[in-house]
Amino acid sequence: MSVPRVAAVVSATVADAAKAGTHRNRRLTLNRSKKHQQRCIPAGAEMIKNIMQISAQEQLEIMKRGADELLVEAEMLKKIERSIKTGTPLRAKLGLDPTRPDIHIGHTVVLNKLRQFQDLGHTVIFLIGDFTSLIGDPSGRNDTRPPLEREQILENAKTYHAQASKVLDPARTEIRYNSEWSDPLGAAGMIKLAAKYTVARMMEREDFTQRFKKGIPISVHEFLYPLLQGYDSVALKSDIELGGTDQKFNLLVGRSLQTQYGQEEQCILTMPLLVGLDGVEKMSKSKDNYIAVTDAPSEMFGKVMSISDTLMWNYFELLSTQSAAAVAALKASCANKQMNPRDAKVALALEITARFHTQADADGALAAFEARKTGAAPESMPEVTIHCAEDSMLVTQIAKQADLVASTSDAGRLIEGRGFKVDGVVIEDRHLKLSKGASYVLQAGKRKFTRVTLA
């Protein structure tokens, strides 16, 4: 199948999916009563009507769809039945730590599930872990996570709401920061909280057990992380908490603490983890193998195209809005050599890019990607003017000042590896100088282009 044909088919698929997934608007009143707190309050009868329109069993099936595990199903069914009977929405919670300024598409796997809770009429709480980020989540770690300064955490958290709103309905999302209740705990409160969980129970955690067996240090403050995440559930009185499969231990701690604080235990729902661009580790900001939801269209498209043909199906299953049957049919077509896997990947890249930008942006990213394959520069690219005191400047210095590379050494390595071009010509001399008073198109690697004017 040709690329233009793929683009046409996927455009229709995305349009149909968007039409089928259109969400009914509901009137809401917004009350911002505290700093760092945004509560959404449904307009009474309208939200209650939505909850009561769908049976408890149907809601349970929607919640389970695509999930790895729901604990405990019988408890969850009773919660839903009570919600329908009383007209009181359930409180569904998801927490993310702002360890980097970007939310990545791996997070959207669970964010999509949280959106389903919104559309069922339940209260969704998007919790930003500005306090727990000071500790660092030890989940899936084979070493101690480096600590972050509060200033960096707050800076990273600034855009989290806007990024999450690419999936969640911002008008129906309660935004909270766990410093609201964790800061006031103080030393005395922290000691009381620590007394509610044993070291033996904490060492049941697989990553702690493995590190202990291998003699890899475990810092005492790492034990506090699951306790504080669990305490979030107490503070928010959550009915269900969502997370990736790597979060199961932390979510179960929340159930245990709620019991000790006289609350009904939350249910937990875990979603599969998206594998990162390296094809090995889970997608993670700290592993730098992620696609940010704020990546430019061409960058996002190119990153999706960089994954392996095998990994592509994991992305289809967890990120595509196409039905399981449609994905299975696509996979069969590739296996039977009726379709080139590259065309399927183009379809995936178009769908993901269009979701976080626009269809026009996705189509433009495809065109730019194809242009780069032929060695042609994209029509649109960053432009920068560099002022030089001499009549000419080293190309390595120009590359660094144009932000194409992190250092002149990186530029030199690219040149030595034949990965740097000027006006479409491969540069082999790292000592090459470009003359002042002219414009040049510089290309670093496959995807980075900048038009530079030397003045």
Side-chain angles (χ1 to χ4, degrees), residues 368-383:
F369 182 82
E370 291 301 311
R372 287 195 296 271
K373 277 192 62 186
T374 62
E379 292 182 8
S380 177
M381 69 180 76
E383 297 187 13

Side-chain angles (χ1 to χ4, degrees), residues 189-228:
M190 202 72 75
I191 291 170
K192 288 180 181 179
L193 178 61
K196 296 184 181 295
Y197 216 79
T198 67
V199 172
R201 289 288 305 278
M202 200 66 75
M203 290 304 296
E204 291 174 4
R205 184 183 184 127
E206 185 178 357
D207 37 27
F208 284 158
T209 300
Q210 293 302 318
R211 285 166 62 180
F212 183 74
K213 286 180 179 178
K214 295 175 182 178
I216 299 173
I218 303 171
S219 299
V220 174
H221 79 284
E222 293 182 83
F223 285 166
L224 295 177
Y225 190 94
L227 283 174
L228 287 167

